Amino acid sequence: QGGSLWYTWRHWNKSSRKWESILVNTAQTVLPVENVTEIQWYSCTVYDLLDNERTLIMTVGPENMKNTLGLDFEHAKELVPEKNNVAVIATAENHVFFKFVPDKSGKWRIGSDDEQATCGKLYDKNKNVIVECTSADEFSFEKDLNAGETYYLECGYDYVQVDSSFNVKAEYV
C-alpha cells in the first residue's frame, strides 16, 4: 500500500516562547544550521494519511551548554545526594535528565519540591524505566537502589511550563 507523508519543521523562539514554523523544501535532506553559539531547539513532525503523527525534538548547540541543561541521557546533569538540584525547563517539550550514582545501598526517596504538576521517571543503567510517578502535585517515590550503580532521572512538568525551574532531591531514608 502506498501513501503520502507530510513534514512540519519548527524552531523554538525563546523570546515569544512558542514553536514557529520553518518553511523548508521537504525534499531537502539538510536543514542548514550555522554559527550556533547557544542552545537552539528544532522539531520535525511527520504526518500520514491515517492521521498518525510522530515528532522528534532536536537540540543544537555547543556540547558544554547541553551538559549544563541535562537535555537527554547523554548530557544528564549529576544529581547530588542530600542537596537541592535545580531542574530548568527551557522549552514546552523539555524534560531534564539527571545521572545518579548512590553512595549507599538501600531505600532512597527522590522527588521535587514544586507543588505544581511535576512528573518523574527513574531509569536503570540500561535506560529501562523502573519507577514512574505522575500526579497532580510534585513527584516523589522511594526505591531500593544499589551503591555504585548508575541511575537516570527524567523530570519535568505534566503540562506546558516554559522558562521555569524546580528543585529535585535524592535522600537516603
Side-chain angles (χ1 to χ4, degrees):
Q1 294 181 359
S4 297
L5 297 175
W6 293 269
Y7 302 85
T8 302
W9 282 95
R10 299 178 300 159
H11 176 260
W12 179 255
N13 183 317
K14 287 191 233 181
S15 300
S16 67
R17 298 184 187 177
K18 293 181 181 174
W19 287 104
E20 296 179 349
S21 290
I22 300 172
L23 299 175
V24 296
N25 177 352
T26 57
Q28 185 176 347
T29 57
V30 177
L31 180 63
V33 179
E34 300 173 340
N35 301 320
V36 178
T37 57
E38 60 183 22
I39 298 293
Q40 297 181 31
W41 287 272
Y42 295 87
S43 76
C44 180
T45 304
V46 180
Y47 307 87
D48 68 13
L49 291 172
L50 302 174
D51 290 330
N52 295 308
E53 68 178 68
R54 192 72 78 190
T55 300
L56 173 67
I57 306 291
M58 292 150 279
T59 304
V60 177
E63 289 299 310
N64 63 334
M65 290 181 132
K66 290 180 188 179
N67 292 336
T68 63
L69 293 175
L71 299 172
D72 52 30
F73 287 111
E74 182 183 349
H75 300 97
K77 297 170 60 169
E78 179 184 2
L79 182 66
V80 180
E82 310 295 339
K83 296 195 184 250
N84 284 327
N85 298 265
V86 179
V88 177
I89 306 301
T91 74
E93 283 89 1
N94 185 223
H95 281 198
V96 176
F97 288 80
F98 289 95
K99 181 179 179 178
F100 179 53
V101 181
D103 56 351
K104 300 175 211 161
S105 290
K107 191 170 297 248
W108 285 83
R109 179 183 304 119
I110 301 173
S112 72
D113 69 350
D114 195 317
E115 294 180 2
Q116 304 212 16
T118 55
C119 56
K121 289 182 188 177
L122 186 66
Y123 299 83
D124 63 17
K125 63 183 176 188
N126 297 316
K127 301 175 181 94
N128 298 309
V129 176
I130 55 175
V131 178
E132 184 171 7
C133 183
T134 57
S135 69
D137 298 314
E138 70 274 7
F139 77 87
S140 180
F141 47 77
E142 292 184 4
K143 183 73 177 164
D144 284 322
L145 304 176
N146 297 317
E149 286 192 20
T150 300
Y151 298 90
Y152 295 93
L153 175 68
E154 175 187 9
C155 53
Y157 288 101
D158 275 345
Y159 58 93
V160 175
Q161 180 74 15
V162 179
D163 291 339
S164 60
S165 63
F166 56 89
N167 290 318
V168 176
K169 196 170 197 176
E171 300 174 293
Y172 187 76
V173 291

